[in-house]
Amino acid sequence: MANVKAITGSTGESFTQLTDFARDLGKTTMMSAQESAEAMSFLGMAGWDTTQIMAGLPNILNLTIASGRDFATVADIVSDNLTAFGMSADESGRYTDALAYAMSNANVNMDTLGESLKYIAPVASSAGFSMEETVSAVMALGDAGIKGSQAGTTLRTVMLNLTGANEKATAKLKELGVEIFDSSGKTRSFNAIIKDLEKAVDGMTDAQKTATLNTINATDRKTRKLVQLIFSNPNMIIPIRIKS
């Protein structure tokens, strides 16, 4: 708790609340008071205040139990990814629910999810894709055996090129009539874009389809193969709907 105090700058009543909370978690949950304090330290490093730590820690505890990882590691992953997605500490329940759902319904675990989302979350957020559909895309790739940094860098390439980072990709998408943004300028859902792209290349020969997808995703050969897996299976990218 001395470490928590130094990191958060908490004093007086606030520090007493955190100390009592760590002790209470140690008495009433499978986590010890020391493990709870270590988790608090990571949240403090992410800029969470006393109120946010006390509100978010139970959500992280539930995710820790579901994942089988240690409390501090899960707290670190959650706080880092929330920041990367541009989400606030107050949204920790929504995020931990999504990760728990992913681990229960796809071939991914806490470590591979955290590694994937580390690469893709900032891009997904700036491109206008939701956290839920980003997690569901990582789930889909996990079921195809593509996990961790490999899944993250692949999705990052796809999202960047779809939303204007590559001039050749933008020109090809326009030629195909695939709309990335709606009438108000908001990014359409990832699933809808991929389905429209799949329709646009329907009827092409395999060689034509490969050439088209390579233009949209001008990158290394290995990544292009993974990108084509996504584009050839539009129904695999279905945004999950999480209820807190």
Side-chain angles (χ1 to χ4, degrees):
M1 288 307 300
N3 193 41
V4 173
K5 184 176 184 178
I7 292 170
T8 63
S10 178
T11 58
E13 181 61 27
S14 293
F15 182 64
T16 299
Q17 287 179 333
L18 289 176
T19 302
D20 290 344
F21 191 47
R23 286 175 175 154
D24 185 58
L25 289 174
K27 292 177 182 178
T28 61
T29 74
M30 63 185 293
M31 301 301 165
S32 68
Q34 180 175 338
E35 288 173 317
S36 300
E38 289 171 350
M40 287 180 181
S41 295
F42 280 105
L43 299 182
M45 284 188 280
W48 292 30
D49 61 25
T50 298
T51 300
Q52 291 170 327
I53 289 174
M54 293 181 67
L57 212 54
N59 297 319
I60 295 171
L61 172 61
N62 290 335
L63 184 61
T64 299
I65 295 170
S67 69
R69 296 293 278 118
D70 63 276
F71 207 0
T73 295
V74 176
D76 188 29
I77 290 173
V78 169
S79 58
D80 284 351
N81 287 169
L82 276 175
T83 300
F85 271 117
M87 297 171 67
S88 68
D90 298 335
E91 298 177 278
S92 62
R94 172 186 163 200
Y95 187 60
T96 55
D97 281 352
L99 296 190
Y101 179 92
M103 288 187 292
S104 298
N105 292 275
N107 188 17
V108 293
N109 58 39
M110 194 70 243
D111 292 323
T112 59
L113 277 171
E115 185 70 8
S116 296
L117 294 170
K118 177 177 70 176
Y119 286 92
I120 187 58
V123 170
S125 177
S126 62
F129 296 110
S130 73
M131 176 273 291
E132 284 85 357
E133 63 184 333
T134 303
V135 171
S136 67
V138 172
M139 290 170 62
L141 289 182
D143 283 340
I146 304 165
K147 307 175 186 180
S149 60
Q150 190 178 41
T153 53
T154 298
L155 284 171
R156 182 177 63 186
T157 298
V158 173
M159 289 183 176
L160 281 171
N161 288 351
L162 286 178
T163 53
N166 184 297
E167 292 183 3
K168 289 183 178 179
T170 299
K172 178 59 69 174
L173 289 165
K174 185 175 181 180
E175 177 188 323
L176 294 170
V178 177
E179 298 290 341
I180 305 301
F181 307 101
D182 62 21
S183 58
S184 64
K186 183 180 179 181
T187 307
R188 299 172 63 218
S189 77
F190 192 45
N191 192 35
I193 293 170
I194 298 299
K195 284 190 173 182
D196 283 354
L197 182 56
E198 191 266 346
K199 291 178 183 177
V201 299
D202 186 39
M204 293 183 179
T205 64
D206 288 342
Q208 290 172 328
K209 184 180 294 187
T210 297
T212 298
L213 296 180
N214 286 350
T215 299
I216 294 173
N217 291 280
T219 182
D220 63 277
R221 182 180 299 177
K222 184 177 181 180
T223 301
R224 282 202 299 266
K225 288 183 178 180
L226 302 182
V227 168
Q228 288 177 31
L229 170 66
I230 297 174
F231 286 159
S232 62
N233 295 276
N235 290 322
M236 71 190 281
I237 310 298
I238 301 174
I240 56 179
R241 294 291 179 259
I242 303 297
K243 292 183 179 180
S244 298

